[in-house]
Amino acid sequence: MNYKLILDIAIHLLRARLKQTIVAAVGVTFSIAMFISLVSFMSGLNGLLDGLMLNRTPHIRMFNEVKPSDNQPLSLSKDYKGNTVFIHSIKPKDRGKSIYNSMSIISALKQDKRIIDVAPKVTASVLYNSGTIEISGMVNGIDVLAENTLFKISDYIKEGKLSDLFQNNSIIIGKGLSDKMLLSVGDIIKVSTSNGTLSSLKIVGISETGIADIDNMASYTSLATAQKIVGQPKNYITDIQVNLYKKENAVAIAHEFHTVYDVDTIDYLAANVQFETGSSVRSIISYAVGIVLLIVAGFGIYNILNMMIYEKMDSIAILKATGFSGSDVKWIFISLSIIIGVTGGVFGLIFGFIFSSIIDVIPFSSPSVPSVTTYPIDYNGSYYVIGLVFALFTTLISGFFPAMKASRVDPVEIIRGK
Amino acid sequence: MKETILETKGLIKYFYNPSKFQVIKNVDLKIQQGEFVSIVGKSGCGKSTLLYLLSTMDTDYEGQLFIHNQLITGQSDQNLAKIRNEKIGFVFQFHYLLPEYNVLNNVMLPGLKLGKYSKKELEQRALKHLKTLEIDQHALKMPNQLSGGEKQRVAIARALINDPLIIMGDEPTGNLDRKSGDVVFDIFKKLATEFNQTILIVTHDPDFAHKTDRIITMEDGKIIS
Ligand SMILES: Nc1ncnc2c1ncn2[C@@H]1O[C@H](COP(=O)(O)OP(=O)(O)O)[C@@H](O)[C@H]1O
Ligand SMILES: [Mg+2]
């Protein structure tokens, strides 16, 4: 088959119907451009929200869960070995929230090559007192430097400095707390715990994460201060937070730590199941919209090709009479649709990129992600490949049926019909 | 001895729409190299139908068709297209030129499809044919800028481009005025005498037919003389 000649004929047919062809191609351009910008934007948003989640969640968190003991005294008894035993009314024993042997675990983890950093933490639920009001909340005693490498919390400190926590008895409180209790930097806040100890702490900063639940309840102090508030010794640690170089391995490593160190562990995926769902729903929506647009564009191409075939019946008949076979004619029309698809698609990619870049400079700010100043766009090459493949696929499908029809045109019928 | 260009054996064709009836009845036909033949007969007697069978475009028939002693009946669509391209030149009553191409390209198209000659050579050959038909001054015009007679001459040039074994025409002068019709006839005549071109023309114009070498008369789907 002579591809050059077939392409030449296709191009001549296109030129004769330039306006309709352009309209059909613009349909493809529009849908691909929308697809690209939509997917890039949605994926950028996903990245942003994932980042939001990962900014707060350690890849692995180790802690002690309050739960009944797996081994009840009865199971130690030789007499009932092999028997099925029923024990009623088991209550969990409070072994404390403290992680047993936390110091040696931390020093072991610090040697682990897979780990970026280890941030021990003491959490305590407290009542904040100011004047006559009491607000319940949570004090996080943190290892200031490690916590900052893991979660960049200095980004959220609106007033004061994170390093001020190195002072004794200092605290950084959430914005919501400071608003409610009319406290500002330099004031004193009273904190009481469930076992009755009351401490006075100096406010050295205000933090704002943008999440009301956190800002209304949480405050930060150093590890030592937190241990003092709850009246516990220096080895009292309630959480060990770990970030990995490869967060994909979090599930496996979390399991490993659970067995090796005999503590409860949770990986970031298990802790944030709903985020994954949100991400995939957003992707599905953008792909669905893109595909719908493409199907509409496909009908446009189908229409123009069908119209062209009716208009060009005479030309098809004469081509067949002068020696072009049915399959030659079929390829002429398939080439037509490919030309429309490729030009429409390529322009779609270009416009998709342009639209994405426009979205990318629209200002957008959220206190929860201080590093972001414009709408997020994910410039991922694979979307452009998918877009072009989609465009080609739809144009091929929508061109195929008209092409088959053209290939079956009976020249005798046309020539006789005059 | 002259070569046989076209031969049919017991050609039969039915139409089934609206009811079954036989249009072509047992036609045996032989056309020799260099003959200028006309087919005449009353309107509706089956002349066009017969020509479309001979042209290989209509494959729905019984009996056998030979071109250059090669059996054509039963060949694939692809092969038939190739045979039409290489061995048969067509001229229709309504000058079917491709409106998207200029005159020169219209003439060259079947040659480009055949691919025997380069584009340059084809251009030379096309111009030579256009010159023989005295329309070379219109080579770069579009078909819609030509008169009916001129278009028909372009169609003849196109039919000639691949040096076909036979040129077939279905009332090629039927849509032309007397003068243009005569010009077209003279061209066929010239091709037959000067270039020994085999030509088969369906016509209902008795004057046209009488000037050809041989007249085949049809009546009611049969050849009667
Ligand atoms: N597609 C068709 N279906 C049914 N009958 C047809 C068809 N084409 C032609 N006919 C009939 O076949 C007969 C022969 O037609 P045709 O070959 O065109 O005659 P001619 O060219 O001699 O005038 C006519 O009676 C015509 O009505
Ligand atoms: Mg007729």
Side-chain angles (χ1 to χ4, degrees):
Chain A
M1 204 164 43
N2 190 338
Y3 293 101
K4 230 173 97 192
L5 179 59
I6 282 177
L7 206 62
D8 185 67
I9 296 173
I11 289 170
H12 273 86
L13 288 177
L14 272 188
R15 275 208 214 129
R17 277 252 149 260
L18 198 57
K19 253 192 214 149
Q20 278 92 330
T21 315
I22 289 174
V23 169
V26 165
V28 179
T29 301
F30 181 73
S31 42
I32 295 294
M34 288 313 284
F35 170 77
I36 297 278
S37 31
L38 207 65
V39 173
S40 305
F41 183 42
M42 285 295 181
S43 156
L45 224 50
N46 278 348
L48 179 83
L49 293 169
D50 285 353
L52 207 62
M53 178 263 277
L54 285 172
N55 279 350
R56 306 186 189 298
T57 317
H59 294 166
I60 300 173
R61 186 166 77 92
M62 303 158 82
F63 60 104
N64 253 349
E65 199 158 38
V66 176
K67 62 176 178 203
S69 171
D70 288 336
N71 288 316
Q72 294 293 328
L74 194 60
S75 59
L76 297 174
S77 159
K78 287 201 175 72
D79 296 346
Y80 297 100
K81 211 170 173 144
N83 292 25
T84 303
V85 296
F86 295 93
I87 311 171
H88 293 280
S89 220
I90 297 177
K91 292 286 180 290
K93 176 183 171 223
D94 188 6
R95 290 168 296 161
K97 295 208 184 81
S98 174
I99 295 172
Y100 178 68
N101 216 1
S102 57
M103 288 304 145
S104 57
I105 294 178
I106 290 169
S107 57
L109 289 177
K110 283 205 195 267
Q111 306 298 315
D112 197 319
K113 287 269 181 301
R114 297 168 295 182
I115 288 172
I116 299 175
D117 210 347
V118 184
K121 190 162 129 182
V122 174
T123 58
S125 45
V126 295
L127 290 172
Y128 301 105
N129 306 286
S130 175
T132 54
I133 52 168
E134 285 188 340
I135 295 178
S136 68
M138 190 78 113
V139 168
N140 297 296
I142 55 174
D143 176 336
V144 175
L145 294 179
E147 193 81 5
N148 203 35
T149 33
L150 256 54
F151 307 116
K152 271 256 152 259
I153 55 169
S154 56
D155 282 349
Y156 306 110
I157 310 292
K158 295 282 130 109
E159 283 176 56
K161 288 200 307 288
L162 187 64
S163 55
D164 291 340
L165 285 184
F166 289 123
Q167 303 166 21
N168 268 343
N169 295 334
S170 59
I171 188 167
I172 293 177
I173 62 170
K175 179 123 194 344
L177 278 175
S178 93
D179 288 347
K180 275 194 218 171
M181 302 174 73
L182 297 173
L183 291 170
S184 53
V185 174
D187 291 345
I188 301 290
I189 188 171
K190 290 209 174 69
V191 173
S192 58
T193 60
S194 56
N195 55 18
T197 50
L198 183 71
S199 339
S200 297
L201 302 171
K202 186 174 170 221
I203 299 171
V204 294
I206 308 285
S207 72
E208 183 179 12
T209 59
I211 297 173
D213 269 356
I214 295 177
D215 292 340
N216 287 340
M217 294 180 69
S219 59
Y220 298 99
T221 64
S222 63
L223 270 179
T225 309
Q227 285 157 350
K228 212 156 28 173
I229 292 172
V230 290
Q232 296 283 357
K234 278 239 163 278
N235 60 0
Y236 178 82
I237 298 291
T238 59
D239 297 87
I240 299 174
Q241 308 168 100
V242 165
N243 267 12
L244 304 170
Y245 285 104
K246 287 192 182 135
K247 69 172 191 291
E248 301 75 39
N249 300 336
V251 180
I253 295 176
H255 191 75
E256 175 194 324
F257 288 171
H258 172 65
T259 43
V260 172
Y261 300 118
D262 191 25
V263 288
D264 293 301
T265 58
I266 186 166
D267 57 87
Y268 74 101
L269 283 174
N272 291 283
V273 181
Q274 75 278 16
F275 269 99
E276 282 297 296
T277 324
S279 297
S280 54
V281 166
R282 276 187 293 275
S283 313
I284 290 170
I285 289 173
S286 31
Y287 277 87
V289 170
I291 288 171
V292 167
L293 288 172
L294 270 172
I295 290 174
V296 174
F299 276 110
I301 295 173
Y302 177 83
N303 263 346
I304 165 98
L305 285 183
N306 254 344
M307 207 165 69
M308 225 180 236
I309 286 167
Y310 281 116
E311 275 177 7
K312 297 295 167 196
M313 277 296 181
D314 288 358
S315 298
I316 295 170
I318 206 67
L319 286 172
K320 285 193 156 182
T322 55
F324 287 82
S325 64
S327 105
D328 291 334
V329 172
K330 180 179 75 197
W331 279 107
I332 288 172
F333 281 87
I334 288 184
S335 315
L336 275 176
S337 68
I338 292 177
I339 292 172
I340 295 174
V342 169
T343 44
V346 167
F347 275 102
L349 299 188
I350 294 170
F351 278 105
F353 182 77
I354 292 173
F355 290 163
S356 308
S357 319
I358 291 173
I359 295 173
D360 202 3
V361 295
I362 297 174
F364 161 81
S365 63
S366 152
S368 42
V369 263
S371 55
V372 173
T373 55
T374 58
Y375 278 106
I377 288 288
D378 177 13
Y379 294 100
N380 188 332
S382 68
Y383 303 143
Y384 292 76
V385 176
I386 293 172
L388 198 60
V389 170
F390 271 7
L392 270 181
F393 186 71
T394 26
T395 45
L396 265 182
I397 294 279
S398 46
F400 180 76
F401 296 100
M404 286 310 283
K405 190 156 135 200
S407 80
R408 282 192 296 260
V409 165
D410 180 3
V412 174
E413 216 169 278
I414 308 301
I415 293 164
R416 185 194 278 286
K418 276 268 177 169
Chain B
M1 204 199 120
K2 285 206 164 165
E3 281 181 84
T4 306
I5 296 295
L6 195 70
E7 187 176 3
T8 67
K9 288 181 183 163
L11 222 50
I12 290 171
K13 178 169 174 74
Y14 295 96
F15 277 126
Y16 297 94
N17 202 3
S19 57
K20 181 172 172 174
F21 91 103
Q22 194 173 4
V23 241
I24 303 296
K25 298 170 180 167
N26 231 351
V27 166
D28 292 317
L29 187 70
K30 230 179 200 180
I31 291 172
Q32 310 289 348
Q33 158 76 45
E35 274 190 302
F36 185 7
V37 185
S38 58
I39 302 179
V40 293
K42 286 208 199 82
S43 181
C45 70
K47 306 182 295 292
S48 297
T49 309
L50 177 63
L51 194 76
Y52 297 136
L53 292 181
L54 301 180
S55 77
T56 77
M57 281 192 280
D58 188 349
T59 52
D60 180 22
Y61 60 88
E62 292 163 29
Q64 288 177 317
L65 170 66
F66 297 86
I67 293 178
H68 228 178
N69 297 321
Q70 179 196 0
L71 180 64
I72 299 303
T73 310
Q75 298 237 28
S76 70
D77 174 68
Q78 203 85 29
N79 280 349
L80 292 177
K82 204 161 164 235
I83 289 164
R84 281 199 294 280
N85 185 231
E86 216 179 332
K87 303 187 172 165
I88 305 176
F90 282 102
V91 185
F92 305 102
Q93 178 173 7
F94 301 93
H95 3 272
Y96 283 101
L97 299 177
L98 296 182
E100 296 85 7
Y101 283 94
N102 69 17
V103 165
L104 184 64
N105 284 323
N106 259 290
V107 175
M108 285 166 64
L109 209 57
L112 289 169
K113 168 69 191 161
L114 184 63
K116 196 164 116 189
Y117 299 101
S118 73
K119 202 166 174 172
K120 267 252 148 51
E121 288 172 295
L122 271 173
E123 215 171 281
Q124 292 311 313
R125 291 168 61 82
L127 280 171
K128 192 189 80 194
H129 287 304
L130 288 173
K131 195 164 251 159
T132 323
L133 305 182
E134 292 167 12
I135 39 167
D136 51 321
Q137 72 274 26
H138 301 309
L140 298 178
K141 282 191 180 169
M142 297 309 280
N144 59 11
Q145 296 169 305
L146 301 182
S147 75
E150 287 164 343
K151 282 189 213 172
Q152 207 55 306
R153 281 186 274 165
V154 176
I156 296 171
R158 181 182 61 196
L160 288 169
I161 192 76
N162 285 342
D163 301 322
L165 287 174
I166 183 165
I167 289 183
M168 297 183 184
D170 190 1
E171 314 209 15
T173 59
N175 202 34
L176 300 180
D177 57 63
R178 188 83 250 165
K179 214 173 126 232
S180 312
D182 286 344
V183 171
V184 169
F185 177 84
D186 291 342
I187 287 164
F188 282 128
K189 189 78 195 167
K190 183 171 157 193
L191 290 173
T193 50
E194 285 179 27
F195 301 97
N196 206 23
Q197 175 70 54
T198 316
I199 300 173
L200 176 63
I201 302 290
V202 166
T203 178
H204 61 236
D205 175 358
D207 290 349
F208 185 109
H210 280 294
K211 292 189 272 184
T212 60
D213 301 346
R214 175 179 154 202
I215 301 175
I216 296 172
T217 312
M218 279 184 77
E219 197 177 294
D220 203 13
K222 286 187 290 252
I223 290 179
I224 53 170
S225 72

